[in-house]
Amino acid sequence: MADETNEIVEAVFEAVAEAAPEIRAGLPSRRLKSGSENPSGETQMAADVFADDLLQTRLGGIDGVGEYASEEREDVDDVGSGLSVTVDPLDGSSNLKPNNTMGTIVGIYDEPLPATGDHLVGASYVLFGPVSTMMCAAEGVVHEYIVDNGVRNLVTEDVRLPDDPSVYGFGGRVPEWFPDFEAFAREVEQDASMKLRYGGAMIGDVNQVLTYGGIFSYPAFTNAPEGKLRLQYEGYPCAYIMETAGGASSDGSQSILDVVKTDDIHARVPVHLGNRELIDRLEAALD
Ligand code: AHM
Ligand code: MG
């Protein structure tokens, strides 16, 4: 990757880290519904709108960032010239009311939006857990940081997905799963080395998989064959991070990074992320 691209990617990561404590500090007073819907038809929390506005200002203000798009706004914002940034400002915001984990997800692309997965030049997420941590993937490597006062402090250099998977988390309503996915899920449940860990914010669930090894799925449904999660804001960035850490991603038949849906910035995709062996078994089961 060109030095200049790399510098902009790092500038985006730094700006996200700087915004993280502000997003966190803004949560206690914004646990209410905003009264509006996002482009996916979901009721927005006041915190979703707040985090989106803050990140649009900060990331859109970086020299070398040309476009900003978010799960919480209809259209792509033209903010200058350069790389394109996509954001899920507050992933898992329905966890705000019961005070559970949430996160912020960012993808950085070197082409105009909607971009394809092969144009990712970096991706990152902040996990708002008991502490705020941040995963940053770029140039073939993933690093994990603790975010302290808006600054990243390295905690794990070159994060690698553990070889022996031990956790799984499958989203959505079981009666709406397709039978072939349900059969795969039952098989995983029967494995004595695997334990259910599911928190309702993909970023928390994905981070557990990255920490312990395993699989996270938010699958296709009988009444929603494209699943729930959005390709540009959630699917691509998490697939990029997972694959860069040595894991695998799938929409059920191919790497999520190979899925092409450039006609709709808010397009959805079934998401499966985890150890290669589990993703291979999943793809065989859904074949
Ligand atoms: P959000 O980005 O609007 O919060 O939606 C995404 C979240 C994911 O983090 C999580 O995996 C999923 O929605 C859970 O949804 P549900 O509780 O509807 O199954
Ligand atoms: Mg989300």
Side-chain angles (χ1 to χ4, degrees):
M1 189 170 27
D3 280 356
E4 195 194 345
T5 300
N6 193 32
E7 277 170 27
I8 301 163
V9 168
E10 281 304 311
V12 171
F13 291 163
E14 278 170 23
V16 171
E18 200 181 319
E22 295 171 65
I23 294 173
R24 192 169 185 131
L27 299 179
S29 59
R30 294 184 177 82
R31 299 171 72 196
L32 307 166
K33 292 176 180 163
S34 67
S36 53
E37 280 189 354
N38 72 12
S40 302
E42 299 159 348
T43 303
Q44 293 173 308
M45 306 291 288
D48 287 316
V49 179
F50 166 73
D52 180 36
D53 286 343
L54 182 67
L55 289 165
Q56 196 274 356
T57 305
R58 299 295 172 78
L59 305 185
I62 294 172
D63 258 358
V65 172
E67 290 187 339
Y68 174 92
S70 138
E71 193 178 294
E72 306 301 338
R73 58 183 66 214
E74 192 70 47
D75 299 315
V76 177
D77 275 4
D78 181 349
V79 290
S81 68
L83 302 181
S84 305
V85 176
T86 63
V87 174
D88 180 355
L90 214 46
D91 175 64
S93 54
S94 67
N95 272 355
L96 196 49
K97 200 172 173 192
N99 192 24
N100 280 315
T101 300
M102 290 173 303
T104 295
I105 312 174
V106 178
I108 309 163
Y109 305 80
D110 65 359
E111 72 168 2
L113 299 170
T116 49
D118 57 331
H119 280 274
L120 272 162
V121 290
S124 169
Y125 64 76
V126 176
L127 174 60
F128 298 109
V131 291
S132 297
T133 55
M134 190 168 171
M135 287 286 183
C136 297
E139 299 205 287
V141 63
V142 183
H143 297 311
E144 183 186 28
Y145 304 85
I146 283 182
V147 181
D148 194 12
N149 279 324
V151 174
R152 290 178 296 164
N153 293 320
L154 188 66
V155 281
T156 315
E157 195 173 359
D158 193 6
V159 173
R160 304 300 296 166
L161 188 65
D163 285 334
D164 295 323
S166 64
V167 296
Y168 66 91
F170 301 139
R173 295 193 64 247
V174 179
E176 288 163 12
W177 287 351
F178 284 100
D180 49 6
F181 179 78
E182 185 171 356
F184 168 76
R186 297 294 168 238
E187 202 185 293
V188 171
E189 284 169 357
Q190 290 310 311
D191 182 338
S193 61
M194 297 291 280
K195 209 170 9 177
L196 171 64
R197 288 285 184 92
Y198 184 75
M202 80 173 292
I203 231 50
D205 297 325
V206 166
N207 199 64
Q208 296 207 58
V209 170
L210 273 170
T211 306
Y212 295 127
I215 183 167
F216 166 78
S217 293
Y218 209 99
F221 296 101
T222 49
N223 57 353
E226 301 305 310
K228 171 183 179 182
L229 301 176
R230 273 76 19 156
L231 179 62
Q232 201 87 66
Y233 314 112
E234 294 156 324
Y236 280 153
C238 290
Y240 183 85
I241 294 167
M242 186 61 73
E243 292 196 16
T244 305
S249 77
S250 179
D251 71 342
S253 63
Q254 60 183 330
S255 163
I256 290 171
L257 296 177
D258 292 334
V259 174
V260 175
K261 295 186 182 186
T262 45
D263 53 339
D264 177 9
I265 187 84
H266 301 290
R268 299 174 193 264
V269 69
V271 170
H272 309 276
L273 301 165
N275 288 75
R276 172 90 261 164
E277 171 246 328
L278 283 159
I279 297 295
D280 284 348
R281 274 169 51 200
L282 166 99
E283 288 187 345
L286 301 192
D287 199 12

